[in-house]
Amino acid sequence: MTSVPLARICIVDDEAANMRALCDTLRDHGYGTEGFTAGEEALGALRERPFDVLLTDLMMPGMDGVALLGAALKIDAHVVGVLMTGKGTIETAVQAMQAGALDYVLKPLKVSALLPVLSRAVAVRQLRLENLDLRNTVAIHELNQAIAYTLDVNVLLDKVADAALAQFEADEASVMLLAEGAEFLRVAAVRGERRETLLGSRVPIGKGIAGHVAAHREPLVLQGEVREAGLAPLYPRPGIQTALCMPMMTRNKLVGVLNVNYTQKARTIPFGQIKVLSIFANAAAAGIEASRLYEDERKTYGRYREVLYMAADGIISIDQDQRIVLFNGGAEKIFGYDPEEVLGKPITVLLPQEMAETHHRHVEAFGQGPDQSRAMGRRERLVGRRKDGTLLNVEVGISKRSENSDLLYTAVVRDVTQRVEDEDHIAQLNERLNQAQRMEGLGRLAGGVAHDFNNLLTVIMAYSELQIEDLSTNDPRRADLEGILHAARQAADLTRQLLAFSRRQVLELKVLNLNDVVAGIEKMLQRVIGEDLDLAMALTPDLGAVRADPGQLEQVLMNLVVNARDAMPDGGQVTIETAAVELDDAYAKTHSPVVPGPYVLLAVSDTGVGMDEATKNRIFEPFFTTKELGKGTGLGLATVYGIVKQSGGHVWVYSEPGRGTTFKIYLPRVTEPAEALHPVGAGAEVQGGSETILVVEDQADVRTVVRKVLERCGYSILEADRPSAALALADAARALPDLLITDVVMPELNGRELARQLEARWPGLKVLYLSGYTDDAIVRHGVLESGVSFLQKPFTPDTLARKVRQVLDSRS
């Protein structure tokens, strides 16, 4: 027997040495790996055996990584693709996403960067497989219904074996029942080549695979030829490649063991498949147990009546006048009546009023005409009414027979209210999963676009301001340059919103009171909504504190209030509310992925036009807007969504057409005392200096404009276009620079690693990081590390000069 690997990964790289090294490394971390140097070889393997992840190089001769992933998805729609590439640009991201890849990793590979990507890929694979199992719920339910209503135990056993073979695409399936006295298992039904050999054979409890499972009452998954560790007596013939053995339990009682074997080739058994088989095995156990009871109780009329009244399902018979003549114990539990309360009364007492009016016509037509036999076996879902007046969902199967020339109708009733709720919940989970995957893909694309644009905007804004400074106030060219600068600032606002939506902005968190944030922006909000609308405040004292970026929360409030204003063209009221709340398990169950616990609520409500369901499902998507062309970018609510999620919170919207809208934001409550919020003024005139600054930036235009801005401020500038050049400069330099300014995302080394190596050469070196989006080199989940100086691109010359002076004047 061999242990099952953490996940199976197919690795494709035309560099054989790289491929073999990667296989060995990942194998050491618990993954099962197979490596190939050509796409066609990998596709051949995918056709023969399943893989969880396809990890392939992007640029390869013959078939590149994009074409290989597309062909692999046609073989296995649930395999998760990860591309390896030597370049990391927005074009690479778009190309990978269009091909269906989950992510891409940069070469040369770092195991520390690759392992989290693979872990997420395996989790996505598991979700896809479990989602497939959920889609099969209806088919499995129908199978369970057939089991539950088959009373002949031999027929039932054949159905279980047939269904197991088909449902799990196995080569062999067998049902082994626990014999009386619980000393051995007897093979009661077999499907596969060894039917004649195994049928009727016995296996002692504790011996062989099935005996082991029966003794321990736990499932067992085995791979490789199952002929080791004393298990061979159960399998006299070699060739079992994968075996899945499941105990059949009902009411904590072992009924038997269900075996599913694969003899043609080894199979990886996903966790979701094991869960499905467990549900199926226990349903079969319940059916077998019910069949046994029926067989036993049928021997005498009295015992038959006892079983009838003990059945979990409701069994109700009515005469030809539609009056109740039989009402068993299951019906008592379902409807809440004692038999004496309903016997002799019309069946309509168990139905809602709207169904009662038409019920007699359905009974008269039941079983008539050419489709009589089909009607007799059909089960329908109806609505019933309990004694207390509450409604419930029931599944009903009806039979009709003649008794002394009188007609008797018997209904088997099952309460499926919980199942209906579960099915609705599953549908909601599927929808949320699809929406989360869609938002994740949009966020990845938006973040990459913002990163590239921020480099361009940095150059445009800086050169525009430098040129404006050099022109006199009456120079006609000044207005043109100010127009360019204004457009660049608008573009920078758009990229900031894209970064907020994609959760790739940098947050500077503070422990704060939401009431202080609302109070600080109240006057500005009043100006935004104008005189035609009322702004009401409902702020709860003793609110508790949250950990968030106050500037970002102000952006959230501004966007929600603007959205509310636009939804009330004829006037109305905007209400801002805060409260300390406790979200319990019941709320979390219906609002995944909320974790129960203490939160602070920030709600913004309006009395405007409201939204329908279709609009609500899309409002947080970037660029989606219901406003007229030119009246909105569709990024306001996307920005709200990104900021709240990156702050660890949750946002929900409640709205109906014509009844207004409420946005509720829940941020986790913390126990630390809130800090005081101080408004940031314009500041004094920018001061320059004479210090020496090393600028490291791989984008030449950005590097040049940074140098020009700082030279105007009097600084001496050293510059390098890549980390290796900066390190060489450090080795050759005689004097210690006062400050390192470095981009975060660069080839060779990221900014943090470069800073560490330079700090080792120059102790006391101060560092200022630049970046167009977040990177885990200097942040953790978008939150700036303590003591790190950071400047977000795009920035103006004034902003750069102020930040440089601030870092230089700070204590080490």
Side-chain angles (χ1 to χ4, degrees), residues 68 103 111 196 262 290 382 522 554 577 609 635 710:
L68 172 57
D103 209 338
V111 175
E196 298 301 327
Y262 299 90
L382 304 174
E522 182 177 358
E554 289 179 353
E577 175 189 1
V609 296
L635 285 173
L710 297 180

Side-chain angles (χ1 to χ4, degrees), residues 217-237:
R217 302 188 180 187
E218 293 181 351
L220 189 61
V221 181
L222 303 171
Q223 288 188 318
E225 287 198 0
V226 186
R227 294 182 57 81
E228 303 175 35
L231 300 179
L234 184 62
Y235 295 98
R237 180 174 63 94

Side-chain angles (χ1 to χ4, degrees), residues 620-743:
F620 294 123
E621 293 182 9
F623 307 115
F624 174 76
T625 179
T626 58
K627 299 175 184 177
E628 298 176 15
L629 186 64
K631 294 294 182 66
T633 63
L635 285 173
L637 292 179
T639 302
V640 170
Y641 177 87
I643 292 173
V644 172
K645 288 295 184 182
Q646 194 173 1
S647 303
H650 308 281
V651 56
W652 306 100
V653 59
Y654 305 86
S655 183
E656 293 182 24
R659 303 189 66 176
T661 298
T662 297
F663 286 88
K664 290 188 175 182
I665 294 169
Y666 296 96
L667 297 174
R669 197 159 74 236
V670 298
T671 56
E672 296 96 319
E675 306 173 33
L677 297 181
H678 303 289
V680 180
E685 182 180 349
V686 176
Q687 300 294 320
S690 58
E691 291 92 339
T692 299
I693 301 174
L694 172 59
V695 177
V696 186
E697 166 65 66
D698 61 316
Q699 296 291 327
D701 290 341
V702 177
R703 187 175 66 253
T704 300
V705 78
V706 169
R707 174 175 54 78
K708 288 185 176 182
V709 169
L710 297 180
E711 285 179 341
R712 285 192 175 208
C713 295
Y715 298 107
S716 297
I717 304 302
L718 303 173
E719 58 179 301
D721 62 353
R722 58 191 183 278
S724 59
L727 293 172
L729 193 63
D731 292 335
R734 296 179 180 178
L736 167 70
D738 300 283
L739 174 67
L740 166 67
I741 299 179
T742 177
D743 193 14

